[in-house]
């Protein structure tokens, strides 16, 4: 079993929809949680960064962490065609430094 | 552009050949990381440096792989006697870290990657 599980999709929604992306993890020692966006044949780009449990909002994006359930989410409001990309969750333990990624969810926003 | 840069962007080689990739991190970032990403998967950690010291290597990094960061600035990743299974995107990331234990500031910024195809 992988340390971080993420539904690979693909996920296709109409423009303007609310998108929910999720990851589960098995290692309770993870402390820092990120969401990266990766366009085709490009490197991952950091979208959101959260520490421990709680919510964080940045524009149309909201990240949620529920450490008791070992579950993290990314919500995208008013989705745009330019949001079409692969979304990767990632996490790490302070002191361990290496990021552990999910498989990535491929998202398409249809105009 | 002050982001992480990687060269070459694409490399096609024949099985058994050696290849070398270069990564230039963001200026003044003291940590540099290498990851490998295969099609449809998330990146997997290979190794990282703090300044010129290589502090951790994944078991994915076989004896055919070697990485260096000779002056604590750019880094190279060499693969000897390439195999078809080495075909992947090789990603470099950098971060600025205070001390050794890290913390909230350890955001890793990724380069565009080098796509390796072994024929």
């Amino acid at each position: 079993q992988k340390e971080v599980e993420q539904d690979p999709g693909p996920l296709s929604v109409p423009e303007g929809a609310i998108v929910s992306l999720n990851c589960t993890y098995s290692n309770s020692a993870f402390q820092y949680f990120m969401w990266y966006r990766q366009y085709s044949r490009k490197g991952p780009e950091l979208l959101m960064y959260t520490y421990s449990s709680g919510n964080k909002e940045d524009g149309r994006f909201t990240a949620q962490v529920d450490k008791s359930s070992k579950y993290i989410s990314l919500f995208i409001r008013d989705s745009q065609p330019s949001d079409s990309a692969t979304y990767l969750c990632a996490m790490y333990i302070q002191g361990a430094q290496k990021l552990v990624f999910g498989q990535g969810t491929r998202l398409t926003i249809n105009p | 552009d002050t982001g992480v840069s990687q060269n070459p962007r694409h490399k096609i080689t024949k099985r058994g050949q050696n290849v070398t990739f270069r990564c230039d991190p963001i200026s003044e970032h003291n940590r540099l990381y290498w990851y490998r990403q295969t099609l449809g998967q998330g990146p997997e950690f290979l190794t990282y440096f703090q300044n010129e010291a290589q502090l951790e290597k994944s078991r994915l990094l076989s004896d055919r792989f070697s990485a260096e960061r000779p002056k604590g600035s750019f880094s190279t990743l060499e693969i000897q006697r390439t195999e078809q299974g080495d075909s992947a995107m090789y990603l470099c990331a950098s971060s600025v870290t205070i001390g050794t234990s890290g913390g909230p500031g350890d955001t890793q910024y990724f380069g565009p990657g080098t796509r390796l195809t072994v024929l």
Side-chain angles (χ1 to χ4, degrees):
Chain A
Q1 185 184 1
K2 293 184 177 181
E3 278 191 285
V4 181
E5 298 279 357
Q6 184 176 8
D7 186 338
L11 180 62
S12 181
V13 301
E15 183 176 356
I18 296 174
V19 176
S20 172
L21 304 167
N22 311 293
C23 287
T24 59
Y25 62 95
S26 57
N27 189 345
S28 57
F30 285 127
Q31 297 167 284
Y32 299 95
F33 304 90
M34 291 92 163
W35 287 94
Y36 283 84
R37 178 174 62 194
Q38 186 173 28
Y39 292 111
S40 181
R41 300 185 178 273
K42 303 289 187 183
E45 167 196 14
L46 181 68
L47 272 181
M48 300 284 289
Y49 179 117
T50 54
Y51 169 66
S52 195
S53 287
N55 293 359
K56 185 174 182 179
E57 188 174 319
D58 185 1
R60 297 184 295 111
F61 298 89
T62 300
Q64 287 185 351
V65 174
D66 182 349
K67 291 196 74 178
S68 63
S69 301
K70 298 190 185 69
Y71 187 87
I72 69 171
S73 301
L74 177 71
F75 298 95
I76 307 174
R77 291 184 300 280
D78 187 26
S79 55
Q80 305 294 312
S82 59
D83 295 329
S84 298
T86 295
Y87 288 79
L88 296 154
C89 64
M91 49 200 77
Y92 75 92
I93 304 165
Q94 182 168 335
Q97 301 316 314
K98 65 174 183 179
L99 286 173
V100 181
F101 283 87
Q103 187 176 353
T105 299
R106 198 171 75 190
L107 172 67
T108 301
I109 309 297
N110 300 302
Chain B
D1 188 342
T2 57
V4 178
S5 62
Q6 293 187 246
N7 287 289
R9 294 292 308 278
H10 304 275
K11 179 71 177 179
I12 299 175
T13 191
K14 292 182 179 179
R15 185 163 51 94
Q17 298 294 305
N18 298 344
V19 295
T20 300
F21 311 139
R22 175 177 170 129
C23 170
D24 288 88
I26 294 172
S27 178
E28 298 179 358
H29 276 197
N30 56 347
R31 286 203 174 177
L32 186 148
Y33 311 78
W34 286 99
Y35 291 82
R36 181 171 69 186
Q37 185 176 26
T38 53
L39 197 62
Q41 301 296 317
E44 293 178 292
F45 171 80
L46 293 177
T47 189
Y48 90 93
F49 294 83
Q50 177 146 334
N51 300 313
E52 65 275 9
Q54 189 172 16
L55 295 185
E56 186 175 346
K57 292 195 289 186
S58 162
R59 63 179 184 277
L60 293 175
L61 215 64
S62 75
D63 291 346
R64 296 185 297 105
F65 288 71
S66 63
E68 295 182 342
R69 193 182 184 199
K71 296 183 179 180
S73 56
F74 73 93
S75 175
T76 58
L77 178 67
E78 180 182 16
I79 309 174
Q80 296 182 327
R81 305 181 302 281
T82 53
E83 301 173 356
Q84 287 185 325
D86 297 331
S87 295
M89 173 84 90
Y90 289 84
L91 292 162
C92 175
S94 70
S95 69
V96 59
T97 299
I98 307 300
T100 57
S101 61
D106 291 342
T107 301
Q108 294 184 26
Y109 296 90
F110 283 81
T114 295
R115 183 169 296 280
L116 172 66
T117 301
V118 181
L119 300 175

